[in-house]
Amino acid sequence: MDDEHNNPAQYRSFLKSLNDSQLLSHVSSLSQSQTHISTERVLPDTPSISGRNDIDASTPNESKFASSDPFADSFNDILLAQENHIPPAQLGEQDSDTSEDEEVSGIGPKHEFGQYDVYFQNKHDKQQLRDEAYRDWDLKRRGLQGQVAYQEPIFRGCTIYVNGYTVPSINEIHRLVIIYGGIFLPHLANKSSATHIVCDKLTPRKQQIFKNCKVVKAKWIVDSVEVGRLLDWKKYRLFQEVSYDQQRLDLKSDTFAIHQFNTEDIIDEDEQNILEDFYEAEQLNNAEQLDDEKVQLNGSRADEDGRTLEKTSIMTAKHPDFLPHFFANSRLHHLSSWKADLRAKFLKMVYQAGTSKVNMNSTRKMILHLDFDCFFATASAQKHPNLDIQKDAIVVSHGNDTSDIASCNYVARSFGIRNGMWIRSAKDLYPNICIIDYEFDLYEKYASELYNYLLSRSGDFDTIYPVSVDEALLDITSYASECEESDLQEHIIRLCTLIKSDIERLTKCTVSVGVGRNVLLAKLALQKSKPDGILFLNENVQEFLDDIPMRSLPRVGYSIIEKFQQEIQSLSEVKVSDLRKIAKSRLINVFGPKTGQKLYDYARGVDDSSIRLDSGTSPALLGRKSVSVDVNFGIRFDTTKEVEVFMANMAKEMSKRLVNLELVGSQVTLKLARRADNAPRNPPKYLGMGHCNFFNKSSKLGVASNEWGILAAEIKALSRILNIPPKELRGVAVTVSKLEDSETFKRGKQQKLSAGSIVRSKPKREIIPVDTSDFKDPMEGATDIDWDIFNALPWSIRKELRGEMTRRGIISRDSSPSKGHKVYLQQLLPSGTGSQTRYVRVLESPKKPRSRSATASPRKSSVTPAPEPDLSYDSAVLNELPSSVRDEVINGLEQRKRQKVNPQTLKSKFVEIAERDKEVNKVIDENWVLEQNMLRPPARFLDMRTMYSDIKVIISGWIAESFNQEGPHDDDVQAFVGYLKQLLAQANLARCIRSVDYIRREVNYYDAISRASQTPGISPGLMEWRRIIKTKFEPVLHDYCNKNTIKLVAKTCT
DNA sequence: AAGTTTTCAGAG
DNA sequence: CATCGCTCTGAAAACTT
Ligand SMILES: Nc1ccn([C@H]2C[C@H](O)[C@@H](COP(=O)(O)OP(=O)(O)OP(=O)(O)O)O2)c(=O)n1
């Protein structure tokens, strides 16, 4: 409500835009009780004031923090706010000298091969911490309300997991459990991790899964709380209600193998969005903490409570814990991460060893390829002693119909069943298949048996190259050269037999082995040997090849076969002998130079690919080129807010992985899948992606990073460009590339710092001007400091452009670009040479592509303006674009791309950003208006952060420049004060506080750095900076707070 | 022509 | 109830300058 008061015109137009029923529900939402929250803000040198008298402070609220009350208690928000006081000591520590780039927030122990559950452990631990926080908070709340503060720990020693729909709700049970001393498990990572499972509705499947657990009705919780002691769970057991037969089943299973089931699949039940608002608030806080701060905004605000919390399933990406759940159950995710872990492990060994063994040139290579037979199927089948792997058709899968088959045994294959097939198709081929579960732990265990064994015999191998979790290539050239040609066959087979039997002894899984003169031949030999065989392909290679289907060649897939058949006009299966008939030039013509050459060679049994591990230069990088997080399952959204929350989670996941890998990256690529126009809304596969079109967009960060805030901002900006309507979204993938080792990156930064230069520079960039006076002459040393532009200006400009497009994208139409209908950055730009057209509209008809010379528009034309009523907003927003921003952007890109930054532009940059913030708010509100399913303002949080990161870059540059001089220039100080005031005019206290705090911390940081380096005495800029913070910046905040009766809680810094 | 970004294909 | 369609690499194509 206060937002709207701040912006009457906006609010008016918002109201106008509503239809009758929307208006009504808006009014009704306003009429609900208002909650007042106290502002608590930590600032240095201010006395701490806290307490109830803050409550009536009526202040505009920018934060989505004032969310609805989880348990309908009007004091909650107040207490929540109070609970988040930061103990001064703590914050003082944090404030000291860490640059925020070095932050590793919430990252647990490093993920190593063999510890894949660490992730979930961390997740779990965090949950417990939040529960604890909640319990404390509840205690305090009761105290204040004059209720009994202390609660008997009825559930002490109980670990409760709630399954499915219950009365009361999972939220309430969660609350009761944690308040009364129990532990609440959001996930059942392991069946034994919960002492009791609360469940009201019995399905046969659940009964099967939980048959050995204490499954109780929800009433057990309620009644226990009521009488104040733990009641006997048996009186509430769910299985009492089942028939005698089923009970017997229960008893029987007690006597039999308890380890029979996979605990993983218990998690697949619905889970309520737990204590949502409480955690959402917490989450917001965590986000703020990225800047080592906690900001509590407050004031009166219409509480939008009354929205019904739709029950979200953990199966869809709307659920806050979707990602860990999904990855825990995704075979392909496991496969990929195992592979990456293995690769890292072996490369690290090579790196540490210095050089790998080099085999002599004189001898011919010999490669051994080994692979478990139908790995998942074999391993999983061990958990099912009743099944006979030799006789039963066994497949490993989650589901019953459209679920993928990860692996099938050779019996199943004899019916035509293949890995990757859907169960449905497999059943068509052979209805009696036995579907068994994944056993990820077991696969991991056997893989480590395999690789540890290979390592134990590494003396026999020149290289161990992990292809996959169940598959390795060994270079046995040296071993092969140990014997005479005549003994070679026997010599090789002896090794194969030994390896095979050893591994089979260790894992009880059959292995096949193929050996050949190169990787290609070893692979083909392996394939021929399967299952349970050994083959050394030594002679008659040509004949052997002739009969191999082309499709079996490595790197030859569906597409190449299609093309090839097309080329030779054949519809039947093509063999390698067919391939060999085609001239090299023709192959190159059809398939491209590399692929053509490769096919030509393969047809002749030639393959020079090496399996030498090359670790590259950096220990962390280890040859890796990218890190990505992909999700193309369970993506179902209704609102942009949901999408943004999910994207933020993706960013966090990405950040976590980068931190674990000790990497930073400077390029971000977003790939979105959009439901194809003709595809059904619900694809055949439940929660699958169906037929989709893909859209990629990448952007470069000014500086390599692994911070989720930065990544999230970038991802969000990219997703705006791609502009897929939330309901059409079916897949999201984020890739970070241009990787660097984060340690080297940090060191590079620090060295530069101590040299008195700009902080945020790419370490690999060469020359850094030490004397800042260079900046003043635009004609001197331009090339040397050219890169400096990248530190500050172009990033903003790039963002600017993105924002620009976004604005138009948002208001133009809700469709995304499709092939031939893309939005291009360049459309915003004037033509390459002449600048007659200063500004090109983003939207243009694809039917009328502009001539290139006139406008430099891309070949592909842009989004078609849709005949939408909302188009009217287009001009409205366009007209309100501050021309200064436009000019700055255009100038910057047009002329300054290769010029240096003049520090005097700093002033204009602050002005610009302040303007832009206004603009963003405006745009967001337009967006809000357009958001049909949403009468609440969308999360602005990310937007704010996007821009905030720009400011941080500018601030850093500013401080870096001025630190070793006499401090900041007066003009710049004034500009910054102006910026702060503008923020406050928009009631954006949070941003203000953060900006000032950021300066404070940067100054401290530089101080620490210069102390640490050789510099004697105190830097001249330091005192001045501190003085200015105190006399110029802080008063602005304090004035504002006094006027608005906001109390700032003090805290000493440094 | 050479650089950059996007798309595609293939692997387990 | 369904179900857990990831992630990396290299090459080609598309688009720039
Ligand atoms: N589309 C696929 C292919 C493979 N896998 C998993 C299950 C397999 O067990 C494992 C190894 O893949 P392989 O290609 O080696 O296939 P298998 O080991 O199952 O059979 P085989 O190697 O005997 O052909 O990877 C999967 O989940 N989905």
Side-chain angles (χ1 to χ4, degrees):
Chain A
M1 210 166 91
D2 294 275
D3 291 349
E4 294 141 7
H5 287 171
N6 284 337
N7 222 329
Q10 213 174 300
Y11 188 51
R12 214 173 300 130
S13 73
F14 162 66
L15 290 179
K16 271 193 205 161
S17 75
L18 300 177
N19 66 28
D20 291 354
S21 76
Q22 286 171 324
L23 187 61
L24 281 177
S25 79
H26 177 64
V27 170
S28 90
S29 80
L30 291 182
S31 64
Q32 290 174 5
S33 69
Q34 295 183 9
T35 311
H36 301 254
I37 313 158
S38 75
T39 285
E40 303 289 349
R41 176 49 205 155
V42 185
L43 277 184
D45 308 319
T46 318
S48 171
I49 308 163
S50 67
R52 290 294 309 277
N53 54 350
D54 289 352
I55 291 165
D56 290 325
S58 176
T59 319
N61 190 345
E62 284 284 307
S63 161
K64 69 171 183 179
F65 186 78
S67 48
S68 61
D69 171 355
F71 305 123
D73 180 330
S74 62
F75 275 127
N76 285 6
D77 285 339
I78 301 159
L79 286 151
L80 203 48
Q82 289 178 338
E83 194 51 45
N84 281 302
H85 287 187
I86 303 155
Q90 269 179 18
L91 205 75
E93 308 273 284
Q94 291 171 339
D95 261 36
S96 61
D97 60 359
T98 30
S99 146
E100 61 173 2
D101 281 359
E102 295 164 21
E103 267 195 37
V104 179
S105 59
I107 305 297
K110 268 191 70 176
H111 174 108
E112 297 277 359
F113 188 64
Q115 301 174 9
Y116 80 103
D117 55 337
V118 163
Y119 177 93
F120 301 99
Q121 185 59 47
N122 289 346
K123 182 100 199 159
H124 173 77
D125 292 346
K126 270 192 208 145
Q127 177 71 45
Q128 303 313 328
L129 285 178
R130 287 188 298 201
D131 282 352
E132 220 161 273
Y134 176 79
R135 193 162 49 236
D136 293 347
W137 164 74
D138 186 72
L139 263 180
K140 197 170 282 183
R141 176 188 68 100
R142 284 165 187 279
L144 280 175
Q145 290 183 303
Q147 297 180 4
V148 181
Y150 177 70
Q151 302 298 339
E152 198 65 41
I154 302 171
F155 298 116
R156 176 177 291 160
C158 294
T159 304
I160 310 285
Y161 170 75
V162 177
N163 180 280
Y165 181 77
T166 55
V167 180
S169 71
I170 187 173
N171 279 2
E172 178 63 9
I173 296 175
H174 184 169
R175 191 179 74 89
L176 291 173
V177 167
I178 62 180
I179 287 175
Y180 291 93
I183 294 172
F184 180 89
L185 279 187
H187 301 287
L188 201 56
N190 181 314
K191 224 174 16 164
S192 58
S193 55
T195 57
H196 299 78
I197 291 167
V198 174
C199 180
D200 275 351
K201 238 180 91 193
L202 183 69
T203 64
R205 178 161 161 81
K206 284 182 197 172
Q207 191 191 329
Q208 168 71 13
I209 292 165
F210 296 137
K211 58 185 170 183
N212 295 314
C213 305
K214 295 178 185 170
V215 182
V216 295
K217 283 175 280 188
K219 200 156 185 305
W220 175 63
I221 302 275
V222 181
D223 288 357
S224 294
V225 168
E226 193 138 295
V227 301
R229 65 187 169 82
L230 194 65
L231 296 168
D232 182 6
W233 75 272
K234 291 196 183 85
K235 299 224 167 69
Y236 292 85
R237 70 190 302 169
L238 189 63
F239 291 163
Q240 267 174 357
E241 289 167 0
V242 307
S243 69
Y244 176 67
D245 268 352
Q246 284 163 320
Q247 249 190 351
R248 247 189 26 194
L249 197 90
D250 189 24
L251 285 174
K252 198 172 100 190
S253 66
D254 273 339
T255 59
F256 289 143
I258 276 178
H259 63 272
Q260 270 253 357
F261 348 88
N262 178 1
T263 53
E264 297 287 341
D265 66 350
I266 307 176
I267 313 174
D268 69 357
E269 299 294 333
D270 286 4
E271 272 189 36
Q272 183 54 274
N273 193 347
I274 304 148
L275 302 180
E276 185 189 71
D277 289 310
F278 177 69
Y279 294 145
E280 197 174 299
E282 276 284 326
Q283 221 174 7
L284 184 65
N285 270 327
N286 289 341
E288 299 282 334
Q289 277 173 25
L290 270 189
D291 299 308
D292 281 358
E293 315 172 20
K294 284 196 179 183
V295 178
Q296 291 283 312
L297 284 175
N298 65 337
S300 68
R301 168 187 186 125
D303 196 328
E304 296 92 0
D305 206 351
R307 73 195 153 119
T308 44
L309 290 182
E310 199 186 321
K311 189 180 168 188
T312 58
S313 156
I314 192 137
M315 288 302 291
T316 86
K318 274 188 205 178
H319 193 287
D321 291 326
F322 169 78
L323 277 181
H325 169 86
F326 173 66
F327 287 136
N329 290 284
S330 161
R331 75 186 201 282
L332 291 172
H333 169 76
H334 277 99
L335 231 40
S336 295
S337 38
W338 283 329
K339 178 174 180 166
D341 289 344
L342 282 166
R343 205 178 73 140
K345 175 176 172 170
F346 280 84
L347 280 169
K348 194 163 264 168
M349 282 167 24
V350 170
Y351 183 81
Q352 280 161 1
T355 52
S356 59
K357 286 181 235 171
V358 181
N359 48 38
M360 293 148 285
N361 289 340
S362 54
T363 54
R364 286 168 67 205
K365 251 192 329 191
M366 192 66 80
I367 304 293
L368 185 153
H369 192 168
L370 73 139
D371 182 334
F372 286 117
D373 296 327
C374 48
F375 182 49
F376 284 16
T378 309
S380 282
Q382 292 184 1
K383 296 271 179 176
H384 300 264
N386 52 322
L387 295 180
D388 183 347
I389 193 110
Q390 304 297 337
K391 296 214 176 77
D392 298 311
I394 299 171
V395 303
V396 176
S397 175
H398 279 302
N400 263 309
D401 187 29
T402 61
S403 176
D404 279 19
I405 292 170
S407 180
C408 57
N409 70 351
Y410 280 79
V411 180
R413 283 181 207 199
S414 71
F415 296 106
I417 298 170
R418 294 289 175 271
N419 288 0
M421 242 179 207
W422 283 0
I423 292 282
R424 179 194 287 176
S425 337
K427 280 180 170 170
D428 287 345
L429 291 165
Y430 181 67
N432 290 331
I433 50 172
C434 307
I435 306 168
I436 60 178
D437 252 324
Y438 292 90
E439 304 287 346
F440 292 118
D441 293 341
L442 201 57
Y443 311 148
E444 197 171 304
K445 184 170 148 230
Y446 289 160
S448 82
E449 294 283 3
L450 165 69
Y451 281 102
N452 285 334
Y453 170 75
L454 293 178
L455 281 172
S456 77
R457 297 190 58 93
S458 53
D460 292 334
F461 316 131
D462 301 319
T463 309
I464 302 170
Y465 183 94
V467 176
S468 155
V469 69
D470 76 323
E471 185 176 349
L473 284 163
L474 309 174
D475 186 334
I476 54 167
T477 305
S478 305
Y479 174 86
S481 64
E482 282 167 8
C483 77
E484 297 301 315
E485 186 68 27
S486 56
D487 297 333
L488 188 60
Q489 180 80 18
E490 194 200 332
H491 190 60
I492 296 285
I493 298 295
R494 197 183 312 128
L495 178 68
C496 294
T497 313
L498 179 65
I499 292 174
K500 180 167 153 64
S501 61
D502 283 345
I503 296 170
E504 287 171 355
R505 189 158 28 76
L506 288 165
T507 64
K508 309 277 181 279
C509 292
T510 57
V511 177
S512 296
V513 185
V515 180
R517 288 292 181 181
N518 57 38
V519 177
L520 170 71
L521 297 176
K523 187 172 186 58
L524 292 173
L526 169 69
Q527 191 186 295
K528 200 73 169 183
S529 74
K530 274 176 175 288
D532 196 16
I534 294 172
L535 179 61
F536 173 32
L537 181 53
N538 195 24
E539 293 156 336
N540 303 327
V541 170
Q542 204 85 323
E543 284 163 40
F544 175 86
L545 282 172
D546 276 346
D547 209 35
I548 301 282
M550 262 182 81
R551 185 62 227 261
S552 311
L553 295 172
R555 311 288 146 180
V556 173
Y558 170 84
S559 181
I560 286 180
I561 296 297
E562 274 301 272
K563 261 193 197 165
F564 188 81
Q565 288 182 328
Q566 177 81 18
E567 184 65 19
I568 68 164
Q569 297 292 311
S570 162
L571 291 174
S572 52
E573 186 187 59
V574 282
K575 299 268 173 67
V576 174
S577 54
D578 298 319
L579 177 59
R580 200 180 306 123
K581 290 180 202 139
I582 312 300
K584 179 151 80 172
S585 59
R586 189 162 164 209
L587 291 174
I588 287 176
N589 237 342
V590 176
F591 298 103
K594 296 273 172 85
T595 312
Q597 176 72 47
K598 185 184 70 189
L599 290 173
Y600 180 84
D601 288 344
Y602 280 4
R604 286 152 187 81
V606 174
D607 176 16
D608 58 3
S609 58
S610 159
I611 61 168
R612 175 92 31 84
L613 289 158
D614 189 357
S615 63
T617 48
S618 143
L621 219 49
L622 292 174
R624 193 191 260 270
K625 301 207 169 45
S626 65
V627 178
S628 45
V629 180
D630 296 37
V631 179
N632 295 297
F633 179 87
I635 301 294
R636 295 291 186 280
F637 297 112
D638 293 310
T639 67
T640 40
K641 184 192 166 180
E642 289 163 1
V643 174
E644 285 176 5
V645 169
F646 181 70
M647 299 258 179
N649 285 332
M650 292 281 282
K652 287 178 198 171
E653 176 65 25
M654 173 58 78
S655 166
K656 193 177 307 186
R657 294 186 191 183
L658 288 172
V659 169
N660 274 340
L661 293 163
E662 298 173 43
L663 292 173
V664 292
S666 58
Q667 182 165 57
V668 179
T669 306
L670 181 68
K671 180 174 88 177
L672 298 182
R674 180 189 183 156
R675 180 179 68 86
D677 280 341
N678 52 1
R681 184 156 287 285
N682 284 318
K685 188 189 187 80
Y686 174 67
L687 291 180
M689 65 193 309
H691 177 215
C692 283
N693 296 321
F694 288 86
F695 302 97
N696 309 281
K697 186 85 191 125
S698 68
S699 76
K700 289 202 165 100
L701 301 172
V703 179
S705 171
N706 56 11
E707 282 178 80
W708 80 263
I710 303 226
L711 297 172
E714 207 62 30
I715 290 165
K716 216 198 83 172
L718 290 169
S719 97
R720 289 238 183 133
I721 293 176
L722 294 175
N723 191 29
I724 314 277
K727 292 183 179 184
E728 303 292 288
L729 199 60
R730 290 291 178 274
V732 180
V734 178
T735 301
V736 170
S737 48
K738 305 255 147 76
L739 300 173
E740 298 168 47
D741 178 332
S742 57
E743 284 307 308
T744 355
F745 178 73
K746 237 184 288 179
R747 264 201 302 282
K749 203 169 78 179
Q750 286 197 353
Q751 272 162 13
K752 275 162 198 161
L753 266 181
S754 55
S757 183
I758 308 287
V759 210
R760 324 260 165 192
S761 59
K762 279 191 173 177
K764 282 177 188 159
R765 284 285 189 173
E766 44 306 328
I767 310 157
I768 299 105
V770 174
D771 183 355
T772 45
S773 64
D774 275 359
F775 284 100
K776 289 184 180 131
D777 186 344
M779 297 312 292
E780 257 182 46
T783 49
D784 284 351
I785 56 166
D786 160 25
W787 60 268
D788 193 67
I789 286 186
F790 294 87
N791 284 330
L793 186 68
W795 196 16
S796 326
I797 285 177
R798 272 201 298 276
K799 282 239 158 69
E800 195 63 64
L801 287 167
R802 254 182 243 127
E804 180 63 32
M805 302 220 311
T806 300
R807 272 156 224 161
R808 289 135 198 284
I810 282 174
I811 40 78
S812 63
R813 65 184 296 226
D814 71 346
S815 81
S816 58
S818 57
K819 282 175 191 174
H821 291 228
K822 289 196 174 176
V823 177
Y824 279 90
L825 209 58
Q826 292 68 31
Q827 288 174 284
L828 281 173
L829 303 180
S831 66
T833 46
S835 54
Q836 315 88 330
T837 324
R838 302 269 323 213
Y839 194 74
V840 180
R841 256 181 70 95
V842 202
L843 307 172
E844 61 182 37
S845 163
K847 309 225 165 126
K848 295 199 284 177
R850 282 158 199 272
S851 96
R852 224 171 153 194
S853 57
T855 63
S857 83
R859 265 165 265 176
K860 285 188 181 176
S861 44
S862 65
V863 178
T864 320
E868 275 188 32
D870 295 326
L871 210 56
S872 57
Y873 283 105
D874 190 326
S875 59
V877 172
L878 282 185
N879 292 339
E880 288 191 44
L881 254 181
S883 58
S884 62
V885 175
R886 214 156 49 206
D887 292 347
E888 182 72 17
V889 169
I890 289 162
N891 280 339
L893 264 150
E894 214 177 323
Q895 305 160 5
R896 300 183 157 261
K897 199 160 168 194
R898 295 246 145 226
Q899 289 179 13
K900 62 168 106 180
V901 177
N902 187 331
Q904 309 224 321
T905 63
L906 207 54
K907 183 173 169 182
S908 66
K909 267 186 254 165
F910 281 123
V911 174
E912 169 196 327
I913 284 185
E915 296 259 32
R916 186 171 54 190
D917 278 1
K918 271 194 221 156
E919 192 58 31
V920 166
N921 284 341
K922 162 83 177 144
V923 168
I924 291 300
D925 286 340
E926 299 287 3
N927 187 19
W928 171 35
V929 170
L930 293 175
E931 196 60 60
Q932 293 182 347
N933 298 333
M934 199 160 66
L935 280 173
R936 314 187 298 123
R940 293 188 185 154
F941 176 59
L942 283 174
D943 271 299
M944 306 303 272
R945 282 191 67 85
T946 308
M947 298 315 176
Y948 182 52
S949 58
D950 285 4
I951 293 161
K952 289 198 291 193
V953 170
I954 290 170
I955 288 176
S956 299
W958 184 22
I959 297 175
E961 274 170 27
S962 59
F963 196 75
N964 284 341
Q965 303 182 324
E966 303 81 7
H969 192 283
D970 263 350
D971 281 352
D972 291 334
V973 172
Q974 284 315 310
F976 186 73
V977 168
Y979 167 66
L980 290 180
K981 285 184 175 159
Q982 291 200 49
L983 283 178
L984 292 173
Q986 299 168 44
N988 197 341
L989 179 58
R991 171 79 60 82
C992 263
I993 291 170
R994 282 199 283 159
S995 300
V996 173
D997 236 29
Y998 185 68
I999 290 186
R1000 192 179 294 124
R1001 280 184 298 119
E1002 284 286 289
V1003 168
N1004 288 343
Y1005 178 53
Y1006 281 35
D1007 183 27
I1009 293 290
S1010 67
R1011 271 175 221 257
S1013 65
Q1014 68 295 6
T1015 324
I1018 296 177
S1019 309
L1022 177 65
M1023 300 306 289
E1024 180 64 7
W1025 264 107
R1026 294 226 157 112
R1027 188 185 69 80
I1028 281 172
I1029 291 170
K1030 202 160 231 123
T1031 60
K1032 304 276 187 192
F1033 300 158
E1034 286 177 2
V1036 178
L1037 295 177
H1038 288 265
D1039 280 352
Y1040 177 83
C1041 292
N1042 286 339
K1043 277 194 206 120
N1044 292 281
T1045 54
I1046 298 169
K1047 314 279 174 157
L1048 296 173
V1049 178
K1051 199 236 89 221
T1052 320
C1053 191
T1054 320

